[in-house]
Every structure is written in structure tokens, then in C-alpha cells.
Amino acid sequence: MMSKLSSIAAFSLALWATTGCQRMEPVAGTAPPADAIFADEFNDATLDRTRWNVEGPGFWVNNEQQAYIDSPETIAILPAGSVPGADDGVLALRPVFREGFVTPSGRVADFVSGRINTQGKFDFTYGTAAARIKMPDATGVWPAFWMLGYGEWPGAGETDIMEYVGEKDWTGVAMHGPGYSGETPLVNKYFFDDGTDVTDWHVYAVDWSPTGLVFRVDGRAIYRVTRAMVEHYGEWVYDRPQYMILNFALGGAYPYKTNGIETPYEGMPQATVDRIRRGEVAMYVDWVRVTGAENSR
């Protein structure tokens, strides 16, 4: 790993650590910040495979109802003008109804979807990770923007910057690690102000320093976790690199625990199934950026 902490980034992190000041996040129409050490604006014709890996159907967790596939059906770059309010091109992760799809392990799923990550291509320690995202109003969907450390879960650490389970007035954030995983105590819901919800464009971000993490929506601090809070439950593993993930899951454990829906799929009602079949459900990502990272590759 190479040290890349600039004096500007160091000042920014020190200011946050001592004062907890809000940091305004970039919005549509702006170029990546000068100190960005990762920026994908999704303006190419296809997904940049030098930055992103694509998950395949062998991966399955949390009783999710989809299988992930590498296909333009589920992972696409849309040109400028395709999604109102976006700055140029947009990444679209889409679930698709594919009744009876059989995975390599023999699991049968009725949906396919998209999941990408930067594992082995880009990771960082400390700094700010942010993404500008627009999501659908659809009960039981489970799109997310998050990070993982290398190694066995949960000992490697997990940072959930944005999770959405289909109740459009809120999104969630969480941290998972040894002693604080699964039903983690380090979790928070953010409820949007009246007049806006997940179907609007929002910037979801986390500021990560050696002393803690601050989660933000549109620059507003919504949850702060200190190292002392983490160590009350277990080992602090947030001193090592994590890589980024964007995915669109369907149903499964978290949506089910939220809405209690059992049929036709765990955590997902028929109305959402019908909308997926009509091609009306997608997660749109305007850009992903990382700034002020101390260690990165």
C-alpha cells in the first residue's frame, strides 16, 4: 500500500475529528474533487472492468431471492439524458424476472440481478467514500452501497453506507465486525425530510478516520460511530483496507424482518414482482468517488 494522504486531506480529517463539522458533498454537474483517488462517473459505453469486478451466480447470502449474473440486462451504463437529474452517464443495476433460473450450485431463483465490487482493483484506508444514487419505490427490494475488508466475515469488517429495503422514506447504515455482526448494535435509520425520499437523487457517504466514522446523506451527518463505541462490543478492525460494493438484491432476511411478507417471495410482494416483470425497477448510480484516503491502490 502507498501512502497518499495530502495536506488538504489531513486537515479535513483533523477538522472532522475535532469538531464534527459537516462536509458538503459534490452534487450533479460538478467534476470529481481534486483530491479524488477513485472516481467513476459512468460515462463510458460499458462498465469499466479495470475498476470493477462483476459477481456471478455462485454467490448467495441472506436468503436473497435473486441470482447475480454478468449481463447488460442487469448491469448497464446508460448515456447522458437517460435518467433525469443525472450528470451525464449513469450506472443502472436492474433486477430481471427469470423464472426457474438455475445457479451452478443447483439453487433455483426466479430473478437475476447485478452486483459489482472493486476487490483487488481498488481499496483504501481512511477517507471519504461517496456515491450519488436514485432508487425505486418498491417494497422488498434491497439495493446497497457498502464496503468490505479482506478475509473472513465479520472479522474483516463491513461498512454499510446505504441500505434500502423498500420503505421509501428511510435508508439505513451499519457497521459489522467481530462481536458486532448480524443484528449489530451499530446501526441507524435516516428518515428523509418531507418532500423527498429515495426516489430522488441523494449523495450517500461515509467519512472514515482512525478514530471513527461519520455517515452522511447529502452532506448531513446522520450517524457517528467512535472507536470507543466499537470497542465496547468487540475488536476495532477499521484500521485496514476495504473495497466498495454496489448491488441490487431482492427480498431475503432484512426486507422480511422489516415488512413480514412471506408470499410470493420472502420479503417481497406480488406488486413488486409485477413491476420487475415490466422493467420498472432499477437502482441508478450517477457517480462513485473516494477522496482523502491515506492508503489506497
Side-chain angles (χ1 to χ4, degrees), residues 16 126 175 180 186 209-213 224-240:
W16 164 73
Y126 311 138
M175 293 170 62
Y180 46 99
L186 303 172
S209 85
T211 58
L213 294 88
R224 176 179 289 118
V225 180
T226 66
R227 180 167 181 159
M229 289 169 63
V230 171
E231 291 180 337
H232 178 75
Y233 298 100
E235 180 186 357
W236 170 265
V237 293
Y238 286 81
D239 53 2
R240 61 200 71 175

Side-chain angles (χ1 to χ4, degrees), residues 7 9 30 65 75 80 125-126 130 169 188 221 224 240-241 244 268:
S7 59
T30 63
Q65 300 300 298
I75 303 169
T125 309
Y126 311 138
D169 60 338
N188 193 55
R224 176 179 289 118
R240 61 200 71 175
M244 296 182 292
M268 191 168 60

Side-chain angles (χ1 to χ4, degrees), residues 247-271:
N247 70 286
F248 200 127
L250 296 171
Y254 195 4
Y256 175 73
K257 290 176 183 177
T258 301
N259 59 40
I261 294 170
E262 297 182 345
T263 59
Y265 299 94
E266 182 181 83
M268 191 168 60
Q270 186 63 50

Side-chain angles (χ1 to χ4, degrees), residues 120-169:
K121 295 181 176 179
F122 174 82
D123 49 55
F124 71 102
T125 309
Y126 311 138
T128 295
R132 188 168 187 260
I133 299 173
K134 175 182 174 69
M135 292 179 289
D137 176 10
T139 301
V141 299
W142 191 1
F145 169 46
W146 51 302
M147 304 192 300
L148 275 177
Y150 293 94
E152 293 289 328
W153 188 90
E158 175 180 329
T159 308
D160 299 327
I161 305 169
M162 184 286 296
E163 285 187 283
Y164 169 57
V165 293
E167 295 185 349
K168 69 176 183 176
D169 60 338

Side-chain angles (χ1 to χ4, degrees), residues 57-113:
F59 182 87
W60 185 52
V61 293
N62 301 318
N63 203 34
E64 296 167 1
Q65 300 300 298
Q66 83 293 331
Y68 291 118
I69 63 170
D70 186 350
S71 168
E73 286 185 286
T74 58
I75 303 169
I77 304 296
L78 307 182
S82 299
V83 184
D87 176 17
D88 297 326
V90 171
L91 168 69
L93 299 182
R94 287 197 183 99
V96 176
F97 186 75
R98 186 73 59 79
E99 188 173 16
F101 181 88
V102 181
T103 71
S105 67
R107 181 174 71 93
V108 178
D110 287 342
F111 305 89
V112 294
S113 191

